[in-house]
Amino acid sequence: MAELALALLLVGLGPAGAVWPQPQLVRESPGRCRLSPGRFRFGYARSSAVGPGCAVLDQAFRRYWRLLRDAGPRTPEDTRPWEPLCAELLVSVATPHCDGFPDMDSVESYKLSTSEDLSLLSSESVWGALRGLETFSQLVWRDEDGTFYLNKTDIVDFPRFAHRGLLLDTSRHYLPLRAILETLDVMAYNKFNVFHWHIVDDPSFPYESAAFPELSRKGAYNPATHVYTLNDVKLVIEYARLRGIRVISEFDTPGHTLSWGPGAPGLLTPCYAGLIPSGAYGPVNPILNTTYQFMTEFFREVSTVFPDFYLHLGGDEVDFTCWRSNPEIQAFMQQMGFGQDYAKLESFYIQRLLDIISSYGKGYVVWQEVFDNGVKVKPDTIIHVWRENAGPYQQEVAQVTKAGYRALLSAPWYLNRISYGQDWQTAYQVEPLEFEGSLEQKELVIGGEACMWGEYVDVTNLTPRLWPRAGAIAERLWSNKTVTDLQDAYIRLADFRCMLLRRGIQAQPLFTGYCDAEYSGL
Amino acid sequence: MQGQRRAMEPARLFLGLLCASAALAASSLHQRPPQPELLLEEEEPELGESPSGSLWPLPRSLRILPGQLQLAPARFQLVHGPGSTAGPGCALLQDAFRRYYEYIFGYSKWQNRGQRPLPTGTELLQLQVVIGSKDSECENYPNISSNEAYQLSVTEPVAVLRAEKVWGALRGLETFSQLVYEDDYGSFLINESEITDYPRFAHRGILLDTSRHFLPLKSILTNLDAMAFNKFNVLHWHIVDDHSFPYQSATFPDLSGKGSYSYDHIYTPTDVRLVIDYARLRGIRVIPEFDSPGHTQSWGKGQKDLLTPCFNGEHRSGSYGPVNPILNTTYHFMTDLFKEISGVFPDAYIHLGGDEVDFTCWKSNPDVTEFMKQQGFGIDYAKLESYYIQKILDIVSSANKGYIVWQEVFDKGVKIKPDTIVEVWIGTLYTAELSRVTGAGFTTILAAPWYLDYISYGQDWKKYYSVEPLNFPGCEKQKKLVIGGEACLWGEFVDATNLTPRLWPRASAVGERLWSSKNVTNIRDAYNRLVKHRCRMLR
């Protein structure tokens, strides 16, 4: 019971200087200063290659200043006048780029050193500075009197994996823009850097296409309210950019496309019952030229709207039943010499799609089936490993990397699957590189993604279901491989969740206990 | 359950902190190990129209006619009907009229519609509420035998809602509001209908746990609203437990002063009053649970010598066990505390807990051992527990309250008054337990299959929905002793952040099971209605 009480106490008060995810190197020295949220200032160091006018950092300064200001009720400032006051945080960025988008090669490393006279944050790029600002904000702690402190600390930090993603599914349930934006906020608190936007699927098509407006007009749950306009999408992308987060859109084909059908006549395969069309539709019809004309136009738009180099093309779970039932497809199969192997037909489709995408100078991410089915893909393709029940996922990662492709891991991180108890621990204990393979193979694992599929999730339960559970994955992907102590993680994560509550995020509890600031935004 | 589960819990946190595999092993001891449900594999139900629209829970007898009437927000009124024994002086109904007017029209952005007169014969002008009984019970608190029956007749130009008591009127207003729908042009429509309705079970409860996590007042009040939407009528307020003591006692202010999570995590007498009143206005009883002698760690902080000091060999170990049953001071304290509680909570029942008493600490304590010998209990610590419970029951009886206890009290053969209600919670073999409890002539409440804190992937509401509470071996007389059930949302993993989405609409499944006829079991029809009911709750 004594240990129990201690653990709860720590959770309640919040340990000084706990950071989530754990930085690569932290050194605390004796000494601290008082931090007056109202008076504290962020600024650019003279040595910095970027300065005022750099929107990414200007806005980040304001954001983090506000987070400090709103961290709790005001206390009289001079309760401890004998302790020094923290002066300011100066940021120094080495490369002068400010207006671009983060990408796979963005350097996110930073060095942070805090002390009473001056705290200094230096980084190669603005993206690293963003990560450092987040860390800085988490170093600030309060004592029982409500005074804010900053301990003298030196941090050297960099991510373990370059791709640290979170998937949201806006097709099975529409997510209002503010839910997506809030998720981007919390992603930044967790140092996630990729928003995988599974934007359309069978149940609905909320993406409003300029080239094919009928797609959402007929395929959205409600074409007036349950759509993402071009402005919405741009807003999401810019909001993400300002937080150092890439937006990778997924337009999954040829399966998972039922909602495309009503707005794109002739696109889907008509299924047959015997000799006559049954009225139902299957995957995209791969035998028509019009299909490829449509995809060419459609992805031309998508390639422009989404600035990231990568598009996620899906390619998972193609059901062959409908293709098989269709006499024209049977004829096409014969003509192409595919025999009865419908995987060949799928490959035929994917191949042509990949060529279209390549012609726009884009790279692509695909779900593992595309690799499993032997589709010829460009060497820089990223294979997204997701299947939980098709043998151990470690084996799949081994095969993908052995074939020389880069792999992205999601199989153990399907957060939509809920269960009773502290399931964050299961997600936390995954070691992405624990598979049979050479060092070169391990280097091909570029990261992973937490997936929150939408069958049972909408704006009513998204946030508590996602946070802080996704935080477990964030730390696994950012922190050092050796950071695996569950007890330590519990304490820091419980504290981190209290911080999320202070920031107004509806993050659910790990276990019993309380936070000083409970959620009140009902 | 408390049960194994709650007993496991300090150990589990401990393990959870040290090693995850141990934590997982601990969780596998749960009586219902969390696993993906088979239900998951079911085909996705086609969303369709139920012939009963969006009514939830389904009324006992229902006739919906094709004739549609229109309601004009600017003209439609909820009023006391002729001959009603309740009038504008009945604040409970006045409040309900305003509330339901807002539920029906309020979410609409078009308040100005309905100014132009509608063709005669197509408009519903009023809902007249007629309370029949001489005593409308407007000023009362609802109780176990409150009459919740009502009849609703929707015809042009006025609809009439008849009920003996205000409680039936509240249920009928909810049903009426569920009958109104909006067409594509934004008109509010209602079909001509005839409804006769009354609950199948008298006790339809939701348990909230405010000890493992504190729930802000707002969460509790929101939940009371949702309960009324689902015709639940009992809030079982598991207000204190091991983890924290948020109830502020006027007699013993140190209990919350030292036992709450913080000064901010307290229910003041005003807060408690507010919850009780808010619930009363919705026809909901508030039954507090002060669980003892186990589950009382947080009591010990503010009340010296209340808990049993545990021993390590000859010496005190520094930790404490259940309430110390051998001291007179314990019973003085309990007398004063329960006297206060009996005054604060108007309901005729108090839940006294009595579950999961761990004997280890009692066994270690030489004074307790001595007492056992003196009393001739031998080494049967269940006898000591019974001794304690017996005295608590007497204390509560002398305060003129009835009591509800968890099943262990019955299982261990504690002598209890014949009007004691035994709550069955242990998940395995609960049907056999129902047989035993009712066989012994006790009234019972079923909670075992409805532990909603146990989450799993998929549509688990179907599992809760498919439970038939009277499906246990026993004669008719025994079945009559089952007065209802409770959906329990224990608080280990629940606080204000996830309470509402975790509880609703899953608890709605339990709500219909406890209100509607036994033969209302069509899952597809339920799905269609429940989906709409959820959308309505969102508004």
Side-chain angles (χ1 to χ4, degrees), chain A residues 172-176 221 226 454-462 465, chain B residues 47 53-57 107 174 178 226 229-230 459 461 500-509 525-539:
Chain A
R172 292 180 174 89
H173 284 99
Y174 178 80
L175 293 173
Y221 281 135
H226 288 48
E455 281 87 347
Y456 302 101
V457 176
D458 71 0
V459 67
T460 64
N461 55 1
L462 173 73
R465 198 162 284 199
Chain B
L47 186 55
S54 65
L55 290 176
W56 193 279
Y107 60 87
E174 175 59 37
Q178 296 188 5
F229 301 156
N230 290 276
Q459 297 198 41
W461 69 274
T500 304
R502 195 161 286 197
L503 195 51
W504 308 104
R506 293 163 77 223
S508 303
D525 184 71
Y527 180 81
N528 289 333
R529 284 182 293 115
L530 188 53
V531 165
K532 290 184 186 148
H533 182 53
R534 178 186 96 102
C535 289
R536 180 170 48 227
M537 286 198 274
L538 286 182
R539 294 198 295 255

Coordinates of all heavy atoms in Angstrom, one line a residue, chain A residues 172-176 221 226 454-462 465, chain B residues 47 53-57 107 174 178 226 229-230 459 461 500-509 525-539:
Chain A
R172 N -16.4 6.6 -42.2 CA -17.4 5.8 -41.4 C -18.2 6.7 -40.5 O -19.4 6.5 -40.3 CB -16.7 4.7 -40.7 CG -16.1 3.7 -41.7 CD -15.4 2.5 -41.0 NE -15.0 1.6 -42.0 CZ -13.9 1.6 -42.7 NH1 -13.0 2.5 -42.5 NH2 -13.7 0.7 -43.6
H173 N -17.6 7.7 -39.9 CA -18.3 8.8 -39.3 C -17.6 10.1 -39.7 O -16.3 10.1 -39.8 CB -18.3 8.7 -37.8 CG -19.2 7.7 -37.2 ND1 -18.8 6.4 -36.9 CD2 -20.6 7.7 -37.1 CE1 -19.9 5.7 -36.4 NE2 -20.9 6.5 -36.5
Y174 N -18.4 11.1 -40.0 CA -17.8 12.4 -40.4 C -17.3 13.0 -39.1 O -17.9 12.9 -38.0 CB -18.9 13.2 -41.0 CG -18.5 14.6 -41.3 CD1 -17.8 14.9 -42.5 CD2 -18.7 15.7 -40.4 CE1 -17.4 16.2 -42.8 CE2 -18.3 17.0 -40.7 CZ -17.6 17.2 -41.9 OH -17.2 18.5 -42.2
L175 N -16.1 13.6 -39.2 CA -15.5 14.3 -38.0 C -15.5 15.8 -38.4 O -15.0 16.2 -39.4 CB -14.1 13.8 -37.8 CG -13.9 12.4 -37.3 CD1 -12.5 12.0 -37.2 CD2 -14.6 12.2 -35.9
P176 N -16.2 16.6 -37.5 CA -16.2 18.0 -37.8 C -14.7 18.6 -37.8 O -13.9 18.0 -37.1 CB -17.0 18.6 -36.6 CG -17.6 17.4 -35.9 CD -16.9 16.2 -36.3
Y221 N -22.5 11.8 -46.5 CA -23.7 11.5 -45.6 C -24.7 12.6 -45.8 O -25.9 12.4 -45.9 CB -23.3 11.4 -44.2 CG -22.7 10.1 -43.7 CD1 -21.6 10.0 -42.9 CD2 -23.3 8.9 -44.1 CE1 -21.0 8.8 -42.5 CE2 -22.8 7.7 -43.7 CZ -21.6 7.6 -42.9 OH -21.1 6.4 -42.5
H226 N -21.9 17.5 -44.2 CA -20.9 16.4 -43.9 C -19.9 16.3 -45.0 O -19.6 15.2 -45.5 CB -21.6 15.1 -43.6 CG -22.3 15.0 -42.3 ND1 -23.2 16.0 -41.9 CD2 -22.3 14.1 -41.3 CE1 -23.7 15.7 -40.7 NE2 -23.2 14.5 -40.3
G454 N -13.1 4.3 -37.8 CA -14.3 5.0 -37.4 C -15.6 4.3 -37.2 O -16.6 4.9 -37.0
E455 N -15.6 3.0 -37.3 CA -16.8 2.2 -37.2 C -17.6 2.6 -35.9 O -18.8 2.8 -36.0 CB -16.6 0.7 -37.1 CG -16.3 0.0 -38.4 CD -14.8 0.1 -38.8 OE1 -14.1 0.8 -38.1 OE2 -14.4 -0.6 -39.7
Y456 N -16.9 2.8 -34.8 CA -17.6 3.1 -33.6 C -17.2 4.4 -33.0 O -17.3 4.7 -31.8 CB -17.4 2.0 -32.6 CG -17.8 0.6 -33.1 CD1 -16.9 -0.3 -33.6 CD2 -19.2 0.3 -33.1 CE1 -17.3 -1.5 -34.1 CE2 -19.6 -0.9 -33.6 CZ -18.7 -1.8 -34.1 OH -19.1 -3.0 -34.6
V457 N -16.6 5.2 -33.8 CA -16.0 6.5 -33.3 C -16.5 7.7 -34.1 O -16.5 7.7 -35.3 CB -14.5 6.4 -33.4 CG1 -13.9 7.7 -33.0 CG2 -13.9 5.3 -32.6
D458 N -17.0 8.6 -33.4 CA -17.3 9.9 -34.0 C -16.9 11.0 -33.0 O -16.2 10.7 -32.0 CB -18.8 10.0 -34.4 CG -19.8 10.2 -33.3 OD1 -19.3 10.2 -32.1 OD2 -21.0 10.2 -33.5
V459 N -17.4 12.2 -33.2 CA -16.9 13.3 -32.4 C -17.2 13.1 -30.9 O -16.6 13.7 -30.0 CB -17.4 14.7 -32.9 CG1 -18.9 14.8 -32.7 CG2 -16.7 15.8 -32.3
T460 N -18.2 12.3 -30.6 CA -18.6 12.1 -29.2 C -17.6 11.4 -28.4 O -17.4 11.6 -27.2 CB -19.9 11.4 -29.0 OG1 -19.8 10.0 -29.5 CG2 -21.1 12.0 -29.8
N461 N -16.8 10.5 -29.0 CA -15.9 9.7 -28.2 C -14.5 9.6 -28.8 O -13.6 9.0 -28.2 CB -16.4 8.2 -28.1 CG -16.7 7.6 -29.4 OD1 -16.5 8.2 -30.5 ND2 -17.2 6.4 -29.4
L462 N -14.2 10.4 -29.8 CA -12.9 10.3 -30.5 C -11.8 10.7 -29.5 O -10.8 9.9 -29.3 CB -12.8 11.3 -31.7 CG -11.5 11.5 -32.3 CD1 -11.0 10.2 -33.1 CD2 -11.4 12.7 -33.2
R465 N -11.1 8.4 -26.5 CA -10.6 7.0 -27.0 C -9.2 7.1 -27.5 O -8.4 6.2 -27.4 CB -11.6 6.5 -28.0 CG -11.5 5.0 -28.3 CD -12.7 4.5 -29.0 NE -13.8 4.4 -28.1 CZ -14.9 3.6 -28.4 NH1 -14.9 2.9 -29.4 NH2 -15.9 3.5 -27.5
Chain B
L47 N -29.5 -0.1 -41.7 CA -30.3 0.8 -41.0 C -31.6 1.0 -41.7 O -31.7 1.2 -42.9 CB -29.6 2.2 -41.0 CG -30.3 3.3 -40.1 CD1 -30.5 2.8 -38.7 CD2 -29.4 4.5 -40.1
G53 N -41.0 4.0 -35.0 CA -40.2 5.2 -35.2 C -39.0 5.2 -34.3 O -38.1 4.3 -34.5
S54 N -38.8 6.2 -33.5 CA -37.6 6.3 -32.7 C -37.9 6.2 -31.2 O -37.1 6.6 -30.4 CB -37.0 7.7 -32.9 OG -37.9 8.7 -32.5
L55 N -39.0 5.6 -30.8 CA -39.4 5.5 -29.4 C -38.4 4.6 -28.7 O -38.1 3.5 -29.1 CB -40.8 4.9 -29.3 CG -41.9 5.8 -29.7 CD1 -43.3 5.1 -29.6 CD2 -42.0 7.1 -28.9
W56 N -38.0 5.1 -27.5 CA -37.0 4.3 -26.7 C -37.2 4.7 -25.2 O -37.0 5.9 -25.0 CB -35.6 4.5 -27.1 CG -34.7 3.5 -26.5 CD1 -34.2 3.5 -25.3 CD2 -34.3 2.3 -27.1 NE1 -33.4 2.4 -25.0 CE2 -33.5 1.6 -26.1 CE3 -34.5 1.6 -28.3 CZ2 -32.9 0.4 -26.4 CZ3 -33.9 0.4 -28.6 CH2 -33.1 -0.2 -27.6
P57 N -37.4 3.8 -24.3 CA -37.8 2.4 -24.5 C -39.2 2.3 -25.1 O -40.0 3.2 -24.9 CB -37.7 1.8 -23.1 CG -38.0 3.0 -22.2 CD -37.4 4.2 -22.9
Y107 N -33.8 22.8 -30.4 CA -32.6 22.6 -31.2 C -32.7 23.2 -32.6 O -31.8 23.4 -33.3 CB -32.2 21.1 -31.3 CG -33.3 20.3 -32.0 CD1 -33.3 20.2 -33.3 CD2 -34.2 19.6 -31.2 CE1 -34.2 19.4 -34.0 CE2 -35.2 18.8 -31.8 CZ -35.2 18.7 -33.2 OH -36.1 18.0 -33.8
E174 N -41.8 12.5 -21.9 CA -40.7 12.0 -22.6 C -41.1 11.3 -23.9 O -40.6 11.5 -25.0 CB -39.8 11.1 -21.7 CG -38.6 10.4 -22.4 CD -37.6 11.4 -23.0 OE1 -37.4 12.4 -22.4 OE2 -37.1 11.1 -24.1
Q178 N -40.7 12.2 -28.0 CA -40.0 11.2 -28.9 C -40.9 11.0 -30.1 O -40.5 10.4 -31.1 CB -39.7 9.9 -28.2 CG -38.7 10.0 -27.1 CD -38.2 8.7 -26.6 OE1 -38.6 7.6 -27.1 NE2 -37.4 8.7 -25.5
A226 N -29.9 12.3 -19.2 CA -29.9 11.2 -20.1 C -30.7 10.0 -19.5 O -31.4 9.3 -20.2 CB -28.4 10.7 -20.3
F229 N -34.2 10.6 -20.3 CA -34.5 10.3 -21.7 C -34.8 8.8 -21.8 O -35.4 8.3 -22.8 CB -33.4 10.7 -22.6 CG -33.0 12.1 -22.6 CD1 -31.8 12.6 -22.9 CD2 -34.0 13.1 -22.2 CE1 -31.4 13.9 -22.9 CE2 -33.7 14.4 -22.1 CZ -32.4 14.8 -22.5
N230 N -34.2 8.0 -21.0 CA -34.3 6.5 -21.1 C -35.2 5.9 -20.0 O -35.2 4.7 -19.8 CB -32.9 5.9 -21.0 CG -32.0 6.2 -22.2 OD1 -32.1 5.5 -23.2 ND2 -31.3 7.3 -22.2
Q459 N -20.4 -4.0 -31.0 CA -21.7 -3.6 -30.5 C -22.2 -4.3 -29.3 O -23.1 -5.2 -29.3 CB -22.8 -3.8 -31.6 CG -22.5 -2.9 -32.9 CD -23.7 -2.8 -33.7 OE1 -24.8 -2.7 -33.2 NE2 -23.5 -2.9 -35.0
W461 N -23.8 -3.5 -26.8 CA -25.1 -3.2 -26.3 C -26.1 -4.3 -26.5 O -27.0 -4.6 -25.8 CB -25.7 -1.9 -27.0 CG -26.1 -2.1 -28.4 CD1 -25.2 -2.0 -29.5 CD2 -27.3 -2.5 -29.0 NE1 -25.9 -2.2 -30.7 CE2 -27.2 -2.5 -30.4 CE3 -28.6 -2.7 -28.4 CZ2 -28.2 -2.9 -31.2 CZ3 -29.6 -3.1 -29.3 CH2 -29.5 -3.1 -30.7
T500 N -19.9 10.1 -20.4 CA -21.1 10.1 -21.3 C -21.0 9.2 -22.5 O -21.9 8.4 -22.7 CB -21.4 11.6 -21.7 OG1 -21.5 12.4 -20.5 CG2 -22.7 11.7 -22.4
P501 N -19.9 9.3 -23.3 CA -19.9 8.3 -24.4 C -19.8 6.9 -24.0 O -20.3 6.0 -24.7 CB -18.7 8.8 -25.2 CG -17.9 9.6 -24.3 CD -18.8 10.2 -23.3
R502 N -19.2 6.6 -22.9 CA -19.1 5.2 -22.4 C -20.5 4.7 -21.9 O -20.8 3.5 -22.0 CB -18.0 5.1 -21.4 CG -17.6 3.7 -21.1 CD -16.3 3.6 -20.4 NE -15.2 3.9 -21.3 CZ -13.9 3.6 -21.1 NH1 -13.6 2.9 -20.0 NH2 -13.0 3.9 -22.0
L503 N -21.3 5.6 -21.4 CA -22.5 5.1 -20.7 C -23.7 5.1 -21.7 O -24.5 4.2 -21.7 CB -22.9 6.1 -19.6 CG -23.9 5.7 -18.6 CD1 -23.6 4.3 -18.0 CD2 -23.9 6.7 -17.5
W504 N -23.7 6.1 -22.6 CA -24.8 6.2 -23.6 C -24.4 6.0 -25.0 O -23.3 6.6 -25.3 CB -25.5 7.6 -23.4 CG -25.9 7.8 -22.0 CD1 -25.2 8.7 -21.1 CD2 -26.9 7.2 -21.2 NE1 -25.8 8.6 -19.9 CE2 -26.9 7.7 -19.9 CE3 -27.9 6.3 -21.5 CZ2 -27.8 7.4 -18.9 CZ3 -28.8 5.9 -20.5 CH2 -28.7 6.5 -19.3
P505 N -25.1 5.3 -25.8 CA -26.4 4.7 -25.5 C -26.3 3.3 -25.0 O -27.3 2.6 -25.0 CB -27.0 4.7 -26.9 CG -25.9 4.5 -27.9 CD -24.7 5.1 -27.2
R506 N -25.1 2.8 -24.5 CA -25.1 1.4 -24.1 C -26.1 1.1 -22.9 O -26.7 0.1 -22.9 CB -23.6 1.1 -23.6 CG -22.6 1.1 -24.8 CD -21.2 1.1 -24.3 NE -20.8 -0.1 -23.7 CZ -20.1 -0.3 -22.6 NH1 -19.8 0.8 -21.9 NH2 -19.7 -1.4 -22.2
A507 N -26.2 2.1 -22.0 CA -27.1 1.9 -20.9 C -28.6 1.9 -21.4 O -29.4 1.4 -20.7 CB -26.9 3.0 -19.8
S508 N -28.8 2.5 -22.5 CA -30.1 2.6 -23.1 C -30.7 1.1 -23.3 O -31.9 0.9 -23.1 CB -30.2 3.3 -24.4 OG -29.7 4.6 -24.2
A509 N -29.8 0.2 -23.6 CA -30.2 -1.2 -23.8 C -30.8 -1.7 -22.6 O -31.8 -2.4 -22.6 CB -29.0 -2.0 -24.3
D525 N -35.0 -4.3 -34.9 CA -35.9 -3.2 -34.6 C -35.3 -2.3 -33.6 O -35.3 -1.1 -33.7 CB -37.3 -3.7 -34.2 CG -38.3 -2.6 -33.9 OD1 -38.7 -2.1 -35.0 OD2 -38.6 -2.3 -32.8
A526 N -34.7 -2.9 -32.6 CA -34.0 -2.1 -31.5 C -32.9 -1.3 -32.1 O -32.8 -0.1 -31.7 CB -33.5 -3.0 -30.4
Y527 N -32.1 -1.8 -33.0 CA -31.0 -1.1 -33.6 C -31.5 0.2 -34.3 O -31.0 1.3 -34.1 CB -30.2 -2.0 -34.5 CG -29.1 -1.3 -35.2 CD1 -27.9 -1.1 -34.6 CD2 -29.2 -0.8 -36.5 CE1 -26.8 -0.5 -35.2 CE2 -28.1 -0.1 -37.1 CZ -26.9 0.0 -36.5 OH -25.9 0.6 -37.1
N528 N -32.6 0.0 -35.1 CA -33.1 1.1 -35.8 C -33.6 2.2 -34.9 O -33.4 3.4 -35.2 CB -34.3 0.6 -36.7 CG -33.7 -0.2 -37.9 OD1 -32.6 -0.1 -38.3 ND2 -34.5 -1.2 -38.4
R529 N -34.3 1.8 -33.8 CA -34.8 2.8 -32.9 C -33.7 3.4 -32.1 O -33.7 4.7 -31.9 CB -35.8 2.2 -32.0 CG -37.2 2.0 -32.7 CD -38.2 1.4 -31.7 NE -37.9 0.0 -31.2 CZ -37.6 -0.3 -30.0 NH1 -37.6 0.6 -29.1 NH2 -37.3 -1.5 -29.7
L530 N -32.7 2.6 -31.7 CA -31.7 3.1 -30.8 C -30.8 4.1 -31.6 O -30.3 5.1 -31.0 CB -30.8 1.9 -30.3 CG -29.8 2.3 -29.2 CD1 -30.5 3.0 -28.0 CD2 -29.2 1.0 -28.7
V531 N -30.5 3.9 -32.8 CA -29.7 4.8 -33.6 C -30.3 6.2 -33.6 O -29.7 7.2 -33.4 CB -29.5 4.3 -35.1 CG1 -29.0 5.3 -36.0 CG2 -28.6 3.1 -35.1
K532 N -31.7 6.2 -33.8 CA -32.3 7.5 -33.8 C -32.4 8.1 -32.4 O -32.3 9.3 -32.3 CB -33.8 7.3 -34.3 CG -33.8 7.0 -35.8 CD -35.2 6.9 -36.3 CE -35.2 6.5 -37.8 NZ -36.4 5.7 -38.1
H533 N -32.6 7.2 -31.4 CA -32.6 7.7 -30.1 C -31.3 8.4 -29.7 O -31.2 9.4 -29.1 CB -32.9 6.5 -29.2 CG -33.0 6.8 -27.7 ND1 -33.8 7.8 -27.2 CD2 -32.4 6.3 -26.6 CE1 -33.7 7.9 -25.9 NE2 -32.8 7.0 -25.5
R534 N -30.2 7.8 -30.2 CA -28.9 8.4 -29.9 C -28.7 9.7 -30.6 O -28.3 10.7 -30.0 CB -27.7 7.5 -30.5 CG -26.4 8.1 -30.3 CD -25.2 7.4 -30.9 NE -24.9 7.9 -32.2 CZ -23.8 8.7 -32.5 NH1 -23.0 9.0 -31.5 NH2 -23.6 9.1 -33.7
C535 N -29.2 9.8 -31.8 CA -29.1 11.1 -32.5 C -30.0 12.2 -31.7 O -29.6 13.3 -31.6 CB -29.7 11.0 -34.0 SG -28.6 10.1 -35.0
R536 N -31.1 11.7 -31.2 CA -31.9 12.6 -30.4 C -31.2 13.1 -29.1 O -31.2 14.2 -28.8 CB -33.2 12.0 -30.1 CG -34.2 12.9 -29.2 CD -35.6 12.3 -29.1 NE -35.5 10.9 -28.8 CZ -36.2 9.9 -29.4 NH1 -37.0 10.2 -30.4 NH2 -36.1 8.7 -29.0
M537 N -30.5 12.1 -28.5 CA -29.8 12.5 -27.3 C -28.6 13.5 -27.6 O -28.3 14.3 -26.8 CB -29.2 11.2 -26.6 CG -30.3 10.4 -25.9 SD -29.6 9.2 -24.7 CE -29.2 7.8 -25.7
L538 N -28.0 13.3 -28.8 CA -27.0 14.3 -29.2 C -27.5 15.7 -29.2 O -26.8 16.6 -28.9 CB -26.4 13.9 -30.5 CG -25.5 12.7 -30.6 CD1 -25.0 12.5 -32.0 CD2 -24.3 12.8 -29.7
R539 N -28.8 15.8 -29.6 CA -29.3 17.2 -29.7 C -29.5 17.7 -28.3 O -29.5 18.9 -28.0 CB -30.7 17.2 -30.4 CG -30.6 16.8 -31.8 CD -31.8 17.2 -32.6 NE -33.0 16.5 -32.1 CZ -33.6 15.5 -32.8 NH1 -33.1 15.0 -33.9 NH2 -34.7 14.9 -32.3

